[in-house]
Amino acid sequence: MEELKKEEEKSLNFLEEIIEADLNSGKHKTILTRFPPEPNGYLHIGHSKSICINFGLAKKYGGKTNLRFDDTNPVTEDTEYVESIKQDIRWLGFEWANEFYASDYFPQLYEFALKLIRQGDAYVDDSTSEEIAALKGTPTEPGKNSPYRDRTPQENEDLFVRMKNGEFAEGSRTLRAKIDMASPNMIMRDPLLYRIKFAHHHRTGDKWCIYPMYDFAHGQSDSIEKITHSICTLEFIPHRELYDWCIEKLGIYPSKQYEFARLNINYTVMSKRKLLQLVNEKHVSGWDDPRMPTISGMRRRGYTPKAIRDFAERIGVARRENLIDIGLLEFFVREDLNKTALRRMVVFDPLKIVITNYPEGQTEQLAGENNPEEENSGTRNIPFSREIYVEREDYMENPPKKFFRLGIGKQVRLKHAYIITCNEAIKDANGNVTELHCTYIPESRSGSDTSGLKVQGTLHWVNIADAVPVKVLEYDRLFKVENPASEEGDFKDYINENSLHVIPTAYAEPAIKDAKADERFQFLRKGYFCLDTTSSSEKLVFNKTVGLKDTWAKEQKK
RNA sequence: UGCCUCUUGGUCUAAUGGCAGGACAACUCCCUUUGAAGGAGUUAGUCGUAGUUCGAAUCUACGAGGGGCAACCA
């Protein structure tokens, strides 16, 4: 046992191995990571993997993590996104050491550019974007030098200063690194460092009309902050050569970049561009639509930070492409909610039961535990009387063998109440069952059952007289295929148009009236629910977070 | 017909030249006043070929397959 535990502790992911090696060799005394979102959209579950890795690693090894907004493209970025990103990170349970912005470094980055120019490592190119693309070559053919490549450092500096001063039109000139147009790595074929944009920046306003590209901002920002381990996703592997090139030419602190495989989850999409499309084209109600894989969407739906953190921990960190089953995330949501959610009974599709031997006009208060998993969670009162609702699907006229619910002559327990016997089904002119007549066993009351009866089924129910009508929103996967991004054609062709199911009126036990926005509920035999942001005291609205595991539904499919 | 990168049960992920293990899923059984939760168990894997080695998931070579790279995006 002891050995087994040791064995588990020894198992490190590749980033932990690198960090432990760096710490053991004395390369670093402590580590500093960073989470570098671009404020051009809301964070999604993929980002939460990155957040858990960056903050988690720092926490594990006694280091720190900076939050740095990668705000080098004023056209797409906005302060609204900055605020949502900060809220989401805190909600996940992490706190950053410093809040920085790449735009804080614009003056320094500008000096870095001048240094490269003076060293002969960068030049101003007057080519149009089409001309640059044409000379770039292809993955299998080398590119060709730009006709402006051999300008003198003096000429380049003069031109670059004038670019900064706004003397040239947007798009008319760029600053490029002078590396190698024949490099097998396309990124190294004289990459663009700066472009002219007369756009308003969310922080620097109109101060700058040149903006650094990602490759000339990110690594240097890491270096300025003395980030020890700069962790990013696989698509930046080819950029690492340029990352190192810039640091070397500039002679600045050598931050190191390491790459891991981004998170993919089936039946959804995981790119801000695609999520933005879903929002803009009204396929969803917004970034925080409960069907969205955004952190704000999952929060609204009722997912918990712990569930997401446990999920991130369990999926691990590696360099293999992956497509994780959404069921795994749901497992962690259930696991957390099972321990914390308050139990309530709610009937979605009511069928009236008259308990014919229960005195008319009598009501008794039964006690129901708030959470059987939590000793000190207390109880709530549940009224019981002659007329109640049960779930329509819990009655069958011709039940199959293993149907442990209601049918003529069958007995079931009403949760927290009595065992009843179903005697008669009342039908309307069309043959639809309108109500059931049952009798109860007085000595079978929950907690003081002396009937000696054993029943196989237990049903949830509500007392009709004080049932509270509530609205319930149920969600299904947003897409009909496992990996919409990899399908032929537009990913939007695969949207599941039945992903939202509205139950305008469900009937809840009276205790539901005390529901608070931050509380999580388990509606017995239904699933986990929480109040939606659109809920009001006049009309309670619940989101279904995730259903309970349903062995019966599985049995029926066979 | 370039360069980079990856390949372990259905899905993720361990193994660091020495017994292929865990989680989810699936299945069976037990338990049950939630067909939930819980408990016990079962099924199932190293992309291929050759080599190195006493011994290869791990090292080497070749091959196959997946992903990425030609935005004044990050």
Side-chain angles (χ1 to χ4, degrees):
Chain A
M1 195 64 190
E2 193 59 37
E3 259 178 43
L4 236 163
K5 205 176 174 192
K6 252 185 197 167
E7 205 56 38
E8 265 176 82
E9 282 168 7
K10 252 172 67 180
S11 170
L12 304 173
N13 67 47
F14 78 100
L15 293 172
E16 292 168 330
E17 283 181 7
I18 289 166
I19 290 170
E20 292 201 0
D22 289 345
L23 256 20
N24 291 337
S25 72
K27 181 177 174 185
H28 299 298
K29 284 197 177 61
T30 178
I31 65 163
L32 182 60
T33 60
R34 105 266 90 114
F35 177 64
E38 184 188 10
N40 67 344
Y42 282 65
L43 260 27
H44 53 62
I45 181 78
H47 293 108
S48 62
K49 174 178 179 181
S50 176
I51 291 168
C52 290
I53 290 171
N54 277 296
F55 285 90
L57 249 17
K59 188 178 274 182
K60 175 168 181 176
Y61 293 103
K64 287 186 160 66
T65 305
N66 287 343
L67 170 60
R68 184 176 68 237
F69 290 96
D70 230 334
D71 55 350
T72 57
N73 184 6
V75 180
T76 56
E77 294 154 7
D78 197 279
T79 309
E80 174 201 347
Y81 298 124
V82 169
E83 293 310 316
S84 76
I85 287 167
K86 285 158 65 174
Q87 182 192 8
D88 288 349
I89 298 170
R90 288 205 173 100
W91 179 77
L92 275 176
F94 298 104
E95 193 54 55
W96 46 91
N98 299 102
E99 178 181 333
F100 290 138
Y101 294 80
S103 54
D104 295 341
Y105 308 134
F106 283 169
Q108 175 71 264
L109 261 12
Y110 176 71
E111 292 302 319
F112 284 157
L114 287 174
K115 180 174 163 75
L116 286 191
I117 290 169
R118 288 169 191 148
Q119 287 172 184
D121 288 319
Y123 62 96
V124 171
D125 196 331
D126 302 357
S127 307
T128 63
S129 60
E130 292 76 27
E131 288 163 344
I132 289 175
L135 292 177
K136 196 103 187 179
T138 69
T140 54
E141 302 160 42
K144 294 193 181 69
N145 286 353
S146 160
Y148 305 95
R149 198 173 196 262
D150 292 317
R151 294 218 255 228
T152 64
Q154 291 73 18
E155 189 183 356
N156 282 318
E157 181 166 345
D158 171 63
L159 254 15
F160 185 58
V161 169
R162 290 166 63 193
M163 277 169 66
K164 188 200 85 163
N165 292 340
E167 293 181 31
F168 304 123
E170 198 168 286
S172 64
R173 284 183 166 85
T174 56
L175 182 73
R176 299 179 71 181
K178 193 171 179 177
I179 306 180
D180 178 10
M181 288 306 291
S183 171
N185 182 353
M186 299 285 297
I187 302 292
M188 297 298 277
R189 319 244 263 227
D190 290 9
L192 267 62
L193 268 24
Y194 264 94
R195 75 286 213 191
I196 300 170
K197 269 188 199 295
F198 295 101
H200 187 85
H201 187 278
H202 76 113
R203 282 178 68 86
T204 61
D206 299 315
K207 183 170 180 211
W208 293 86
C209 47
I210 55 170
Y211 291 92
M213 301 290 290
Y214 166 84
D215 286 307
F216 200 69
H218 198 91
Q220 286 88 328
S221 300
D222 286 341
S223 180
I224 290 166
E225 295 174 21
K226 293 193 162 54
I227 299 297
T228 56
H229 301 265
S230 177
I231 299 161
C232 61
T233 46
L234 254 29
E235 67 265 29
F236 291 99
I237 290 176
H239 294 256
R240 187 175 60 226
E241 192 177 353
L242 180 53
Y243 183 104
D244 292 337
W245 183 91
C246 288
I247 283 175
E248 199 238 306
K249 290 293 178 188
L250 261 12
I252 53 179
Y253 180 85
S255 296
K256 290 290 177 192
Q257 173 182 308
Y258 302 95
E259 311 88 10
F260 68 95
R262 71 183 311 141
L263 168 67
N264 297 294
I265 294 184
N266 57 9
Y267 301 105
T268 189
V269 290
M270 205 74 86
S271 94
K272 277 195 272 186
R273 205 194 98 251
K274 291 194 176 74
L275 295 175
L276 181 61
Q277 270 187 69
L278 294 177
V279 173
N280 285 344
E281 297 170 23
K282 310 275 188 228
H283 294 105
V284 294
S285 64
W287 284 101
D288 70 342
D289 187 299
R291 292 166 292 181
M292 290 281 272
T294 50
I295 295 178
S296 49
M298 295 187 303
R299 176 169 59 231
R300 181 170 167 191
R301 181 155 171 174
Y303 285 23
T304 61
K306 182 179 189 319
I308 294 170
R309 278 187 260 114
D310 289 349
F311 170 73
E313 173 70 27
R314 175 51 62 192
I315 59 176
V317 185
R319 285 165 68 90
R320 289 185 279 267
E321 298 282 342
N322 59 77
L323 182 62
I324 310 258
D325 193 332
I326 181 65
L328 186 60
L329 212 206
E330 292 175 341
F331 166 81
F332 287 106
V333 173
R334 286 193 194 98
E335 187 179 60
D336 189 25
L337 256 20
N338 176 48
K339 297 196 182 73
T340 54
L342 301 172
R343 269 56 172 178
R344 296 292 182 264
M345 293 197 287
V346 182
V347 172
F348 286 20
D349 182 14
L351 174 61
K352 181 177 172 181
I353 286 186
V354 179
I355 298 168
T356 52
N357 61 338
Y358 196 88
E360 278 187 63
Q362 178 176 319
T363 300
E364 62 186 299
Q365 297 293 329
L366 303 165
E369 60 213 342
N370 281 321
N371 184 351
E373 304 280 327
E374 175 60 59
E375 293 243 350
N376 304 319
S377 60
T379 61
R380 84 282 187 185
N381 283 334
I382 309 167
F384 179 81
S385 69
R386 185 180 160 91
E387 297 189 345
I388 60 168
Y389 284 141
V390 296
E391 213 67 64
R392 182 166 288 272
E393 65 174 17
D394 285 337
Y395 169 81
M396 278 183 89
E397 196 156 19
N398 300 300
K401 274 195 294 290
K402 285 171 134 181
F403 187 76
F404 304 146
R405 308 180 187 182
L406 288 168
I408 302 301
K410 294 184 75 122
Q411 283 190 328
V412 297
R413 165 156 315 265
L414 297 175
K415 180 73 179 176
H416 301 306
Y418 300 91
I419 292 174
I420 57 171
T421 309
C422 181
N423 303 310
E424 188 186 4
I426 311 300
K427 294 179 183 177
D428 64 13
N430 300 320
N432 300 314
V433 176
T434 54
E435 63 181 61
L436 261 23
H437 285 186
C438 302
T439 48
Y440 83 118
I441 319 282
E443 55 273 23
S444 68
R445 182 173 158 153
S446 277
S448 55
D449 185 350
T450 56
S451 71
L453 292 171
K454 281 276 172 198
V455 292
Q456 291 189 97
T458 300
L459 307 186
H460 63 282
W461 53 276
V462 296
N463 196 41
I464 295 178
D466 24 38
V468 180
V470 301
K471 182 176 172 185
V472 175
L473 305 171
E474 294 186 301
Y475 306 101
D476 196 358
R477 48 185 61 138
L478 241 189
F479 290 90
K480 290 183 282 197
V481 296
E482 278 211 75
N483 194 353
S486 73
E487 292 286 338
E488 290 289 313
D490 190 345
F491 76 100
K492 294 196 293 309
D493 296 344
Y494 301 94
I495 289 177
N496 172 13
E497 46 289 290
N498 300 316
S499 57
L500 171 64
H501 180 227
V502 181
I503 296 157
T505 309
Y507 297 89
E509 60 169 290
I512 205 71
K513 285 185 286 196
D514 302 325
K516 312 268 190 315
D518 61 344
E519 286 178 324
R520 313 297 162 109
F521 300 93
Q522 185 197 100
F523 293 173
L524 253 54
R525 306 208 299 138
K526 287 289 179 185
Y528 296 98
F529 296 80
C530 69
L531 283 178
D532 185 53
T533 49
T534 60
S535 186
S536 68
S537 52
E538 293 82 56
K539 182 72 175 183
L540 297 176
V541 182
F542 287 91
N543 287 316
K544 182 172 182 177
T545 307
V546 64
L548 254 22
K549 237 170 69 178
D550 193 344
T551 319
W552 172 242
K554 215 179 283 173
E555 182 74 27
Q556 281 177 304
K557 273 185 198 157
K558 286 186 198 166

